[in-house]
Amino acid sequence: MKTKLSVNINKVALIRNSRGEQLPDLRKFAIDCEKYGAEGITVHPRPDERHVRYSDLPILKEVVTTEFNIEGYPSEHFMKKVLEVKPHQCTLVPDPPGVLTSNEGWKPQNHSEFLKVIIGELKEKEIRVSLFLDPIEEDIHAAKKVGADRIELYTGRYAHEFEKNKEAAILDHTKASNIANEQSLGLNAGHDLNLKNLKFYKENIPNLKEVSIGHALISDALYFGIQNVIGMYRRLLF
Ligand code: PXP
């Protein structure tokens, strides 16, 4: 299966916000990422809008021609904006408001009524819904029960363990990917994926539909340039 590369451009917005004007231009950056081969653009508006802002969403929706993926905690405000903008995909994360980055998945079984309502509202607008999860069997079953179309496996722990023992690090993810397959859930992955650990992940997770990568990819672009870097990541996904 071909795995799509969705570039998370939050860190580009972070640099822009540090000076209060439009440099770098987030809209142009998204257009250029697609021109250089990105198959999706991901943004994650956080409650304090320190990265991408809610006001960026309609501007990006207008220019993204591949797949627009908005991630975030489904607060009332987040839901209002996402339902207005109608991205192709919405990835729901369980983050508390002040968290630095998303570092654990949902336990959908503990929020099933809430998630069923939220997912229903998104699907009514034909927005595909992915739930951010740890690679845990009962959580995947619960994601199916609340109506998710896909799950996004949190790969932060994989990335850390990869440095010590990659075969051990991937085990939970191969099991989780088999369960997702049995449950007819599409499989995405993200967090701390980089040029070192992505190839091994892809080789071991045959049903991987999409990865969203931000921090490492944008950091690599400081050395190699965004055009080269998108090519470098995409070559690891075949
Ligand atoms: N997936 C989710 C749900 C995230 O919150 C993030 C970080 O914004 C990513 C993927 C991308 O992680 P990274 O920036 O480490 O590539």
Side-chain angles (χ1 to χ4, degrees), residues 8 10 44 46 71 91 93 101-102 132 152 190-193 212-216:
N8 179 322
N10 259 30
H44 190 146
R46 294 192 179 271
E71 303 173 343
T91 302
V93 302
T101 184
S102 311
F132 192 53
E152 178 183 322
H191 222 284
D192 293 322
L193 292 172
S212 63
I213 309 185
H215 188 74

Side-chain angles (χ1 to χ4, degrees), residues 173-192:
H173 287 260
T174 48
K175 278 189 216 145
S177 75
N178 290 333
I179 297 162
N181 220 10
E182 285 159 20
Q183 296 287 313
S184 306
L185 281 164
L187 190 74
N188 298 341
H191 222 284
D192 293 322

Side-chain angles (χ1 to χ4, degrees), residues 90-101:
C90 180
T91 302
L92 301 174
V93 302
D95 299 4
V99 76
L100 198 57
T101 184

